[in-house]
Amino acid sequence: MKKRTSATRTPTVLMICTGNICRSPMAEGLLRTQLVQEGLTDRIRVRSSGTHGIDGSPASSYAILALHRMGIDIRGHRACTVTQQAIDEADLLLVMTHGHSSFIEKHFRRTEGKLYLLSEMIGQAFDVNDPWGGTETEYALCAHQLSNTVEQGLQTILGLLPSFTTTGTS
């Protein structure tokens, strides 16, 4: 397989959770916001998918609310199930749990060297618990955990993208 470079296309980060209605759309929105702050929105693409999503479902109302309170709008999000094409198009796969990592490794090809737990971006290896079915407070706690992880892990994320340098960014 021919290796694509950032000179020919925009590097892509794919956030993955279970249903693609809570954690991964929140993480997607949070990473996009970080990229806006760094002036990198046109240089990196961010997507999200679920291992067992129902295509077309909106983000959870509490996920929307939690990010709205952070100034981020994910109301337009629609869930999609992860596919081999999405895996192939992504340069970096960031999953929420060890279980997601195992599922992706078992069901998809060409994940070597690009599949990580989101928490690995900050030098750890913890699962981001699923707030689905939980309270507004549980969603807010999850959103804050994701926000801290994305913010603290941004330079690691950027460093894992092909031929991407942060020279000249703030």
Side-chain angles (χ1 to χ4, degrees):
M1 180 170 106
K2 184 178 172 185
K3 176 85 172 161
R4 295 172 295 197
T5 66
S6 61
T8 59
R9 65 177 216 19
T10 305
T12 301
V13 177
L14 182 64
M15 300 287 191
I16 302 170
C17 71
T18 306
N20 191 221
I21 59 170
C22 300
R23 293 168 291 179
S24 59
M26 287 194 293
E28 176 185 4
L30 290 159
L31 180 55
R32 280 193 179 147
T33 299
Q34 285 293 310
L35 295 175
V36 166
Q37 292 172 359
E38 295 290 326
L40 298 172
T41 51
D42 60 339
R43 295 184 56 200
I44 299 168
R45 180 181 352 209
V46 184
R47 301 281 186 255
S48 65
S49 291
T51 58
H52 295 84
I54 298 175
D55 291 345
S57 296
S60 158
S61 60
Y62 282 157
I64 292 169
L65 180 61
L67 260 60
H68 173 75
R69 289 185 172 152
M70 296 175 153
I72 302 169
D73 185 0
I74 61 169
R75 289 177 298 176
H77 172 80
R78 294 297 174 262
C80 64
T81 303
V82 67
T83 64
Q84 185 64 55
Q85 180 178 348
I87 296 288
D88 290 342
E89 290 175 356
D91 299 289
L92 181 59
L93 307 168
L94 296 176
V95 298
M96 301 299 132
T97 69
H98 289 86
H100 295 135
S101 184
S102 296
F103 180 90
I104 296 298
E105 287 174 332
K106 180 178 178 181
H107 290 77
F108 296 98
R109 301 177 313 281
R110 297 180 291 279
T111 64
E112 301 82 19
K114 64 181 186 176
L115 176 62
Y116 297 89
L117 287 168
L118 177 61
S119 60
E120 288 181 280
M121 301 301 100
I122 60 170
Q124 298 182 34
F126 61 82
D127 287 354
V128 176
N129 292 326
D130 192 352
W132 189 82
T135 66
E136 183 179 331
T137 300
E138 289 170 309
Y139 275 84
L141 291 171
C142 181
H144 284 288
Q145 180 183 45
L146 289 168
S147 178
N148 290 337
T149 305
V150 167
E151 183 178 339
Q152 292 172 21
L154 181 62
Q155 293 306 313
T156 302
I157 291 168
L158 296 176
L160 288 169
L161 296 174
S163 304
F164 188 83
T165 62
T166 56
T167 305
T169 63
S170 52

